[in-house]
Amino acid sequence: MKITSPFGRIHLSDAKFYGLQGTYVTLADANKVLWGLPLAAVAALVARRAEYEPLYLKIQQLNVRTRADVAAHRDKRRVYEKELREFHNEWIANNSAIPAEQKMILGGRERDLEPSPGGPIDDVPSVKVAGVGGGTIKVWCKVTEDKTLPSMHPDANVVEYRYILLETGDVAPSDPEDCPKGDSSSRARFTIKAGAKNAGKRFYGFFRWVNNHRPRQEGDWTNAISVIVA
């Protein structure tokens, strides 16, 4: 069973590539002896992954990254992607020692035709918000255990949020149902456009992890999180 390399796809987003390469190298490294993969070639991919991932994580920090950081990530990804594609074509595509299910994963495909529903979501996101001017609210979400970078819950594919804008002194909402506005984001770090005309009002938002595949999975909402719109 031949599986085409997932690293030859056109317009593979940085986030998608980051997830694919991590799964791919982890699986290849764990099974290198069983599948007869050359140890030196696997070790080279592991080393390249260790060089690449910090660069990807750094460019997710929009407020601190530089043009040099973005260029370094782009150049490293170009080299790494080529190496992954060559490794796959040489050692994976026609390797009869690899079970079909594992080959499907290595090829970047789901285990079956239905989207994975994920496990139950028992975590409430840790959320930080800031008014950054122009009526824009910046949002950072993290899993409870993660004390550093923004991060999606492993069983969620979006952050769902509801919010309301109130004048100073108005009664704060006690429930997401009190909030008429809402949307979702596939990223743990995103912005909400409240509008410059609402500068000076107080933003109240509720946030939760959601997996909107079938069946839909929902975590619990946060308490109301507020900030003044700048």
Side-chain angles (χ1 to χ4, degrees):
M1 176 179 168
K2 181 175 181 178
I3 292 292
T4 303
S5 170
F7 306 106
R9 296 174 184 170
I10 299 174
H11 303 311
L12 197 64
S13 70
D14 286 337
K16 184 67 173 177
F17 175 77
Y18 178 80
L20 279 175
Q21 64 81 29
T23 298
Y24 189 98
V25 176
T26 297
L27 201 55
D29 188 36
N31 295 280
K32 55 183 179 280
V33 175
L34 180 64
W35 295 346
L37 304 178
L39 303 187
V42 175
L45 286 186
V46 171
R48 188 71 76 187
R49 177 186 182 182
E51 296 172 355
Y52 167 77
E53 291 191 342
L55 296 176
Y56 171 82
L57 295 173
K58 191 169 187 179
I59 67 165
Q60 303 313 300
Q61 304 178 66
L62 303 183
N63 59 330
V64 299
R65 75 183 188 184
T66 66
R67 290 184 179 179
D69 294 331
V70 174
H73 167 266
R74 182 179 61 247
D75 292 344
K76 185 67 69 175
R77 173 178 164 174
R78 185 182 299 115
V79 171
Y80 184 28
E81 195 164 14
K82 180 175 182 290
E83 291 173 346
L84 282 163
R85 184 166 56 250
E86 291 175 348
F87 178 91
H88 185 94
N89 293 338
E90 181 70 21
W91 303 108
I92 301 297
N94 295 306
N95 191 332
S96 60
I98 304 176
E101 181 177 336
Q102 303 289 359
K103 268 201 177 180
M104 294 293 281
I105 299 171
L106 288 164
R109 293 165 173 78
E110 298 289 349
R111 295 169 187 261
D112 52 42
L113 297 179
E114 291 296 319
S116 172
I121 301 173
D122 56 2
D123 182 78
V124 177
S126 173
V127 180
K128 176 184 175 182
V129 297
V132 295
T136 298
I137 307 296
K138 209 169 226 182
V139 182
W140 297 264
C141 298
K142 302 184 296 184
V143 292
T144 301
E145 294 79 9
D146 189 340
K147 304 301 181 185
T148 53
L149 296 174
S151 56
M152 290 291 291
H153 188 282
D155 291 316
N157 63 354
V158 297
V159 179
E160 186 175 17
Y161 58 91
R162 298 197 63 82
Y163 70 95
I164 190 170
L165 303 171
L166 298 176
E167 298 290 351
T168 301
D170 288 347
V171 178
S174 59
D175 189 274
E177 296 301 320
D178 298 332
C179 301
K181 300 178 183 292
D183 204 342
S184 62
S185 170
S186 61
R187 296 179 177 272
R189 179 178 184 158
F190 57 94
T191 58
I192 298 173
K193 303 293 186 181
K197 66 181 180 180
N198 291 310
K201 291 185 179 180
R202 182 164 286 277
F203 166 95
Y204 289 93
F206 296 84
F207 303 82
R208 66 177 174 180
W209 303 119
V210 171
N211 186 321
N212 55 20
H213 290 163
R214 299 185 298 273
R216 179 181 169 93
Q217 301 278 357
E218 301 170 349
D220 292 331
W221 291 102
T222 63
N223 294 324
I225 298 171
S226 70
V227 70
I228 296 294
V229 179

